[in-house]
Amino acid sequence: MEHCIEIKNLSKIYRRGKSKFAALSDVNLDIGTGMFGLLGPNGAGKSTAMSILATLAKPTTGDIKIYGYDLQKNRKEIRMLLGFLPQEFGVYPNLDAEEFLDYIGQLKGLKERKNRKKEIDYILELTNLSHLRDRRIKTFSGGMIRRLGIAQALLGSPKLLIVDEPTTGLDPEERIRFRNLLAEISSDVTIILSTHIVNDISSTCNSLAVLNLGKIVYHGHPADIIKNAVGKTFLLRTNEKELATLKENVSVISMIMQPDHIQARVVADDVNGLHAEPVDPNLEDAYIYFMEVQTGVKLHEDEALYQSKN
Ligand code: ADP
């Protein structure tokens, strides 16, 4: 595996008044090329990690190398080879898409006008924005803005693309289009993607880490975390009355309301005595099994149930 990012003993301590808070503690991670997914509930420390990798925040401790460059000593070199799409992506509402990219291109040091235009044309095509090049950004939908975010991050041909929670606020259709775009790009560029939504990474990432309370609690291939949940994922026939007590022992992934019963998809170590049929787990089942059953982290109900709808 070609190493793209090597992280050793990374921690980030924030001060909160007089007390200290570790948003990241002793993170160790080797990331290869391709698409890497950093998954974790809100507050896990994902954005903190992403902005450190993007050289926008400094770690409290730790050694980080990106393509062999030291993050503390070679910030300039690292900035030259990365593109970043932050969670809050500010744009210039009165510019049109092409003007915006031209402006960012100049900031990134693409000096020659003709080459810059050529690159912008290519990127507009890739991100499916060519037909919107003359439209003012303030008229864009959430999905268009995210695609423009990827477009600006791709200017200057980065080797590494860092993308923080890119599908937040997108509708389901836009989400799918955006995931497909990332998958397409990942054949040429290494992508580090952070998200709290499992389905953002399911089909495309060749490596996955789970972050919880500032610590890496899992790192491996998505297929391996799925193996963990084999024999632990079930379809349950139940009813509203039973469901409340059931939730104490199983984690509910999704529910389908039938006229006379509820069909619930659940993960659990043990479903003895219940009307349950085992099914093949997917990554979402596996993530919730790992977090809620094995690690004992209660995901926010919205966060868990929300996932299956997307
Ligand atoms: P995630 O992206 O996984 O939701 P964040 O990296 O945004 O997590 O935040 C991790 C933790 O660090 C949260 O508890 C958050 O409140 C805290 N945090 C983030 N930024 C700061 C800051 N500038 N000062 C103090 N605490 C912060």
Side-chain angles (χ1 to χ4, degrees):
M1 178 175 85
E2 191 196 341
H3 286 294
C4 167
I5 301 181
E6 292 164 81
I7 301 172
K8 289 201 172 67
N9 311 113
L10 166 65
S11 62
K12 176 73 180 179
I13 315 289
Y14 288 120
R15 281 176 195 285
R16 285 184 176 167
K18 279 188 182 154
S19 60
K20 290 178 178 176
F21 173 81
L24 293 171
S25 47
D26 201 23
V27 168
N28 290 281
L29 208 55
D30 276 0
I31 301 175
T33 51
M35 173 120 60
F36 172 85
L38 183 64
L39 181 63
N42 285 327
K46 303 181 297 296
S47 281
T48 301
M50 295 293 111
S51 47
I52 288 172
L53 293 178
T55 76
L56 295 174
K58 290 197 171 163
T60 308
T61 67
D63 286 318
I64 301 178
K65 290 215 163 59
I66 300 185
Y67 285 109
Y69 289 114
D70 185 303
L71 188 93
Q72 306 268 30
K73 294 184 198 133
N74 311 113
R75 297 176 90 76
K76 220 178 178 176
E77 289 83 352
I78 289 175
R79 282 178 185 164
M80 293 293 287
L81 54 83
L82 69 82
F84 182 44
L85 175 56
Q87 203 172 349
E88 301 288 334
F89 166 55
V91 286
Y92 298 73
N94 285 316
L95 297 185
D96 67 36
E98 187 171 4
E99 284 167 346
F100 171 67
L101 291 177
D102 192 59
Y103 174 68
I104 300 292
Q106 289 181 51
L107 290 184
K108 285 197 178 179
L110 304 176
K111 289 204 180 79
E112 231 232 285
R113 198 167 165 272
K114 221 167 125 197
N115 289 345
R116 197 167 64 237
K117 167 121 179 52
K118 220 166 129 190
E119 190 171 336
I120 289 171
D121 285 347
Y122 169 73
I123 289 173
L124 282 169
E125 196 63 39
L126 183 70
T127 51
N128 194 20
L129 288 171
S130 288
H131 61 298
L132 299 169
R133 63 194 309 147
D134 299 328
R135 237 171 84 171
R136 284 189 190 210
I137 297 168
K138 67 176 168 202
T139 69
F140 275 23
S141 73
M144 292 171 194
I145 289 186
R146 288 309 151 104
R147 298 208 308 273
L148 187 63
I150 285 292
Q152 63 81 29
L154 284 172
L155 278 169
S157 315
K159 282 177 87 167
L160 172 66
L161 203 57
I162 298 174
V163 186
D164 192 13
E165 293 270 7
T167 67
T168 308
L170 299 189
D171 64 37
E173 203 178 304
E174 287 178 326
R175 251 168 221 270
I176 292 167
R177 285 177 70 168
F178 194 80
R179 285 172 192 151
N180 291 342
L181 170 65
L182 287 184
E184 207 181 311
I185 294 169
S186 72
S187 55
D188 299 323
V189 185
T190 287
I191 299 181
I192 312 288
L193 165 81
S194 89
T195 183
H196 68 282
I197 296 165
V198 176
N199 291 341
D200 278 352
I201 53 175
S202 43
S203 52
T204 35
C205 289
N206 48 17
S207 179
L208 161 75
V210 178
L211 192 65
N212 183 51
L213 298 175
K215 293 196 165 77
I216 298 290
V217 289
Y218 178 86
H219 182 205
H221 193 277
D224 294 329
I225 197 170
I226 292 176
K227 275 187 206 146
N228 247 354
V230 171
K232 314 285 183 186
T233 310
F234 306 89
L235 288 183
L236 261 181
R237 193 187 165 98
T238 181
N239 54 51
E240 221 159 291
K241 224 168 115 193
E242 200 183 52
L243 199 64
T245 14
L246 214 65
K247 278 186 179 168
E248 288 166 20
N249 303 309
V250 305
S251 288
V252 179
I253 309 284
S254 60
M255 285 182 286
I256 299 174
M257 304 297 172
Q258 302 289 1
D260 58 340
H261 70 278
I262 295 174
Q263 191 191 63
R265 188 181 180 99
V266 303
V267 287
D269 271 331
D270 191 358
V271 286
N272 277 346
L274 296 171
H275 198 287
E277 172 201 335
V279 286
D280 287 341
N282 57 34
L283 188 62
E284 181 188 20
D285 304 322
Y287 173 58
I288 295 175
Y289 175 73
F290 177 78
M291 290 299 271
E292 295 211 350
V293 183
Q294 291 194 307
T295 314
V297 177
K298 193 84 194 116
L299 293 169
H300 190 266
E301 183 148 323
D302 286 348
E303 207 161 58
L305 282 176
Y306 179 64
Q307 309 233 343
S308 54
K309 297 197 193 101
N310 290 279

